[in-house]
Amino acid sequence: MLDSGGKGSGAMAWHETLIAKLKLCDVQLVTYVPDTVLRPLIEAVEADPFFEVVVCAREEEAIGISTGSILAGRNSVVLMQTSGLATLANVIASLPVPYQVPVLMVISERGVLGEFNRVQLQVAKTMRPILDASGVDHVTLTRAEEMDFVTERTFDQALQTRTPTALILSPLLTGGKSAKK
Amino acid sequence: MTMMNETLLNRHETICRAVAALDDRDAVIGGIGNTNFDLWASGPRPANFYMLGSMGLAFPIALGVALAQPERKVVALEGDGSLLMQLGCLSTIAICAPANLTMIVFDNAMYQITGGQKTATASGADLIGIARSSGLTESHWAEGAADFDRLYAAALARSGPSLIGVPTDAAKAVGTTDRDPAKIRITFSEAMTA
């Protein structure tokens, strides 16, 4: 039974599962640009001394900081929303992908399943084409019961194959953002 | 550039002096284009990283290296056009306040590699003033080679981020970086984890 209100079917909420898997993969540095849907994840990593957290002015910066950290031996993840990814084609295609630096990205998906803002709808259509064209692997999480397995295997695969990889969080998983909220 | 009668320094000569003052373990991040061409021309050095694209990200990359390797000094080299593209990173670096990061911006007031079009610094934009207003209080213009050496030594000795603005001449870069991203990454990462 899927609860789209942000709780998983098991004992852990989606953001708790993500934190557990980031720790399992020793991902210590978190860079992000704020997002409403990601708020519980952002608040949890900021409260957890395992993580060093950097809030950035732009997603491009976040990719640069995370790339530098991984180059220097410490794994890192970038948190952003769909419109943030849409700003990144040049830096992804010219930095982590060709240098084979496994930057992890967690993207909260907007522009689908009840979007109320016309501009978000259009921006969302650029996300997967940008990821595909720039050489970033991506997996969309929709089901809480698959989250544990898919997240762990996706992070492992990214790090072991040195492939920048995005985990897209569907509103089916997070509840997303709608005009009714 | 905002100073009148400033002494223009040469980018390649300044980079050679900056690199020579470092320990082999210390990282140097070269920004896109002429900045990393002149770093390349300063001689082979495993702890150098050469950014082939991603214009504007030399300082953010250097911040990531500095956070991951707090026991090493990290020096970042950037051009005025590149920094103008990513001014927000200055406030991010100010918030993080890494103890071990020294940034150098070479300001020749032009987009040299694309034909010498003027940057905003030619019309008065002051990158050091912008950096200070972004929270990087230890940001200073170098007034000649001796002043650069003094500022650089102080920056390396300081616990906290520093930015040195270098009014730069129009000389072309001395070399051209070998554009092999995988090789650059492997060499640099091995040096950082050794």
Side-chain angles (χ1 to χ4, degrees):
Chain A
M1 178 65 191
L2 186 69
D3 176 353
S4 63
K7 299 289 183 190
S9 61
M12 293 174 99
W14 64 265
H15 65 275
E16 293 172 329
T17 304
L18 260 175
I19 284 173
K21 299 309 176 188
L22 290 171
K23 287 182 174 178
L24 193 66
C25 296
D26 202 25
V27 179
Q28 295 176 27
L29 182 71
V30 180
T31 62
Y32 76 95
V33 174
D35 171 60
T36 303
V37 173
L38 293 174
R39 186 176 164 190
L41 177 62
I42 291 166
E43 290 178 351
V45 294
E46 286 188 328
D48 189 328
F50 176 85
F51 297 104
E52 184 163 13
V53 184
V54 179
V55 57
C56 298
R58 284 181 67 79
E59 290 81 2
E60 291 181 327
E61 254 182 66
I63 293 290
I65 296 165
S66 290
T67 298
S69 177
I70 301 165
L71 282 168
R74 194 164 66 149
N75 291 336
S76 183
V77 64
V78 182
L79 315 181
M80 69 187 104
Q81 71 163 266
T82 304
S83 54
L85 187 282
T87 69
L88 289 177
N90 179 60
V91 303
I92 291 174
S94 65
L95 187 63
V97 171
Y99 286 85
Q100 298 173 284
V101 179
V103 174
L104 304 176
M105 294 165 237
V106 172
I107 306 169
S108 71
E109 188 173 21
R110 271 204 69 176
V112 294
L113 296 171
E115 182 56 62
F116 51 90
N117 184 339
R118 180 68 180 82
V119 308
Q120 292 283 354
L121 182 75
Q122 197 63 40
V123 169
K125 296 185 190 308
T126 70
M127 178 168 65
R128 289 178 181 82
I130 288 171
L131 291 167
D132 287 332
S134 59
V136 176
D137 264 13
H138 57 92
V139 174
T140 302
L141 278 168
T142 58
R143 298 165 63 84
E145 58 267 38
E146 293 176 355
M147 184 157 179
D148 187 281
F149 184 86
V150 173
T151 304
E152 184 172 330
R153 292 297 177 95
T154 300
F155 285 172
D156 277 348
Q157 182 172 308
L159 296 172
Q160 289 176 22
T161 64
R162 306 200 64 86
T163 305
T165 299
L167 206 55
I168 300 166
L169 307 181
S170 165
L172 284 164
L173 181 78
T174 62
K177 191 174 174 184
S178 75
K180 290 173 185 163
K181 280 198 169 177
Chain B
M1 286 177 285
T2 57
M3 293 183 301
M4 300 297 288
N5 304 315
E6 73 265 9
T7 306
L8 298 180
L9 297 182
N10 177 264
R11 184 178 48 233
H12 179 249
E13 290 173 9
T14 305
I15 289 174
C16 286
R17 283 211 312 284
V19 170
L22 296 174
D23 187 274
D24 286 346
R25 289 174 48 81
D26 299 334
V28 182
I29 311 300
I32 193 172
N34 288 321
T35 308
N36 85 59
F37 292 173
D38 273 335
L39 175 62
W40 179 268
S42 74
R45 187 174 181 280
N48 288 354
F49 182 77
Y50 306 92
M51 202 184 76
L52 300 172
S54 62
M55 183 169 170
L57 291 191
F59 287 0
I61 292 168
L63 172 60
V65 174
L67 294 174
Q69 293 284 338
E71 303 303 319
R72 298 173 198 253
K73 297 185 194 310
V74 179
V75 175
L77 312 173
E78 191 58 292
D80 52 326
S82 290
L83 184 54
L84 285 164
M85 190 175 271
Q86 203 68 240
L87 289 172
C89 78
L90 296 171
S91 52
T92 303
I93 292 165
I95 294 168
C96 292
N100 53 336
L101 178 60
T102 297
M103 296 164 280
I104 300 172
V105 58
F106 294 97
D107 186 353
N108 57 11
M110 62 173 144
Y111 296 99
Q112 186 178 22
I113 208 162
T114 53
Q117 302 87 352
K118 289 179 181 177
T119 65
T121 70
S123 305
D126 177 359
L127 291 171
I128 291 299
I130 291 167
R132 285 184 187 153
S133 298
S134 300
L136 291 170
T137 52
E138 291 293 348
S139 299
H140 306 281
W141 284 110
E143 299 180 39
D147 193 42
F148 172 83
D149 290 343
R150 180 185 66 78
L151 290 169
Y152 186 62
L156 292 179
R158 180 178 296 123
S159 179
S162 306
L163 173 63
I164 303 170
V166 179
T168 302
D169 67 26
K172 291 180 178 174
V174 171
T176 306
T177 306
D178 181 14
R179 296 185 180 91
D180 183 341
K183 187 175 175 185
I184 292 168
R185 186 260 302 167
I186 291 166
T187 305
F188 180 76
S189 288
E190 284 181 354
M192 285 300 101
T193 51

